[in-house]
Amino acid sequence: MDTAQIDQVRRFNRTVTERVGVLHDRYLGRDRPVGEARLLWQIGEQGQDVRRLRDRLGLDSGYVSRLLRALEADGLVTVEPAPGDRRVRTVRLTDAGRAERAALDDRSDELAGSLLAPLNPAQRARLTAAMADVERLLTAATVTLEPVEPGHPDAEHCLRAYFAEMDERFEGGFDPAASLLPDAGDLRPPRGVFLIARLYGEPVGCAGLKLPAGAPAEIKRMWVAPDARRLGLGRRFLAELEARAAADGRTALRLDTNRTLDAAIRLYHSCGFQEVPAFNDEPYAHHWFEKRITATPQNR
């Protein structure tokens, strides 16, 4: 990042906050600030548990509690313990809350129209395309990567989804019992690592790295949820696992893949992996790849 990039981001932020009216304490001409309005919209028709609301909006618990108390005082929401687990609080819109949310939607549509109205059709297309690109990139920047135990619930969730997708896509299906699955111990330090990607607190991807003694590092079980694709997570997983392999002193990184995974194959080529002869007996693999990397061993 350089100074010009930082300045551009700040100018963009100032322009957006001014044009969409978040500087006013009566957002969209209603009787509440933007924080309360945003929370009403996020709760939605089905309600939400409070913890998920906090994760989705990136707000601390004290601030969310203050917003919810204000909305409760106005009769717009109810907050109650969840059935079966009183530690979890669930917030739902009242009839008045649904009416307020509908009014906010109408005002939001009007605001969006007022931003587009002064522009000609070509400019509108450019603006909305640029907005979609900015939204995608900002969402990508929200994703976190974290090492977890292979038996963590989020890891198990991702692996189940991974296996289900492979079973659907592979010719003849996919049977995990027939595959060369790594032992859990191979994906724990110091023999490896298992990473989970989370978006708004929800698991959206996984990738494992084996660090076997006397052999190249190997990437295993890399998967990204369909609704999180196009965020660059595959490339980000590869870069993170390469850095971890290099920090462990490795000079080569390997992986294998199935021929039906054409997008993954293109990704590996674009990230510097070269196709090599088979280095294992994985029954579902048709392509084997290796990348030479520079060891950067860390003090341990």
Side-chain angles (χ1 to χ4, degrees):
M1 292 182 294
D2 59 27
T3 302
Q5 290 176 323
I6 297 297
D7 288 345
Q8 177 58 67
V9 170
R10 294 186 60 186
R11 284 196 303 272
F12 177 83
N13 291 344
R14 290 193 295 270
T15 300
V16 170
T17 53
E18 178 184 344
R19 293 293 284 124
V20 302
V22 299
L23 302 179
H24 304 286
D25 59 1
R26 293 166 59 86
Y27 182 60
L28 296 174
R30 308 299 290 177
D31 291 331
R32 54 193 41 81
V34 66
E36 292 179 19
R38 182 67 175 83
L39 201 61
L40 273 178
W41 190 89
Q42 193 63 44
I43 291 167
E45 288 295 324
Q46 304 303 315
Q48 290 275 1
D49 76 60
V50 175
R51 180 175 54 193
R52 182 163 295 177
L53 274 178
R54 291 200 309 264
D55 289 341
R56 174 61 183 82
L57 297 176
L59 301 174
D60 67 68
S61 59
Y63 184 54
V64 170
S65 294
R66 290 194 295 275
L67 292 177
L68 289 176
R69 284 197 297 269
L71 294 174
E72 275 189 295
D74 288 344
L76 302 179
V77 303
T78 60
V79 183
E80 300 173 343
D85 189 349
R86 298 185 63 84
R87 296 170 300 176
V88 177
R89 294 187 301 153
T90 301
V91 55
R92 290 186 172 84
L93 300 178
T94 63
D95 288 341
R98 282 187 284 273
E100 178 66 13
R101 187 176 186 270
L104 286 166
D105 275 340
D106 290 341
R107 295 286 181 91
S108 294
D109 286 346
E110 293 173 7
L111 174 60
S114 73
L115 295 175
L116 295 172
L119 306 177
N120 63 42
Q123 289 174 321
R124 292 173 191 171
R126 286 176 56 199
L127 178 60
T128 52
M131 286 177 166
D133 202 30
V134 169
E135 179 187 14
R136 179 180 62 84
L137 292 172
L138 288 177
T139 301
T142 304
V143 177
T144 61
L145 298 187
E146 180 184 359
V148 301
E149 280 286 312
H152 188 283
D154 286 352
E156 293 180 346
H157 165 85
C158 288
L159 288 174
R160 283 194 300 270
Y162 170 83
F163 295 153
E165 181 173 350
M166 298 306 101
D167 187 52
E168 181 179 328
R169 296 185 62 177
F170 287 2
E171 299 169 7
F174 176 75
D175 179 8
S179 180
L180 297 181
L181 291 173
D183 293 333
D186 291 334
L187 300 177
R188 294 191 184 103
R191 291 161 53 190
V193 67
F194 196 76
L195 299 179
I196 289 292
R198 293 188 179 94
L199 177 61
Y200 306 127
E202 299 296 324
V204 294
C206 64
L209 179 69
K210 290 176 58 177
L211 296 168
E218 187 174 351
I219 293 173
K220 303 295 294 184
R221 306 312 177 202
M222 192 173 82
W223 173 82
V224 176
D227 58 0
R229 290 168 191 172
R230 296 193 69 251
L231 298 180
L233 284 184
R235 193 173 298 273
R236 187 172 167 189
F237 271 133
L238 291 178
E240 177 66 20
L241 295 179
E242 179 179 330
R244 288 174 178 266
D248 196 67
R250 306 307 172 105
T251 58
L253 185 59
R254 288 177 170 176
L255 58 86
D256 60 68
T257 194
N258 187 277
R259 63 187 168 209
T260 64
L261 303 180
D262 49 348
I265 292 170
R266 290 194 299 271
L267 173 65
Y268 303 144
H269 280 298
S270 71
C271 289
F273 284 84
Q274 303 294 320
E275 196 150 359
V276 296
F279 52 76
N280 62 24
D281 297 323
E282 172 58 60
Y284 295 105
H286 302 103
H287 301 276
W288 289 261
F289 289 90
E290 183 173 291
K291 180 178 182 179
R292 305 305 298 181
I293 61 178
T294 302
T296 58
Q298 307 295 307
N299 293 327
R300 286 180 286 173

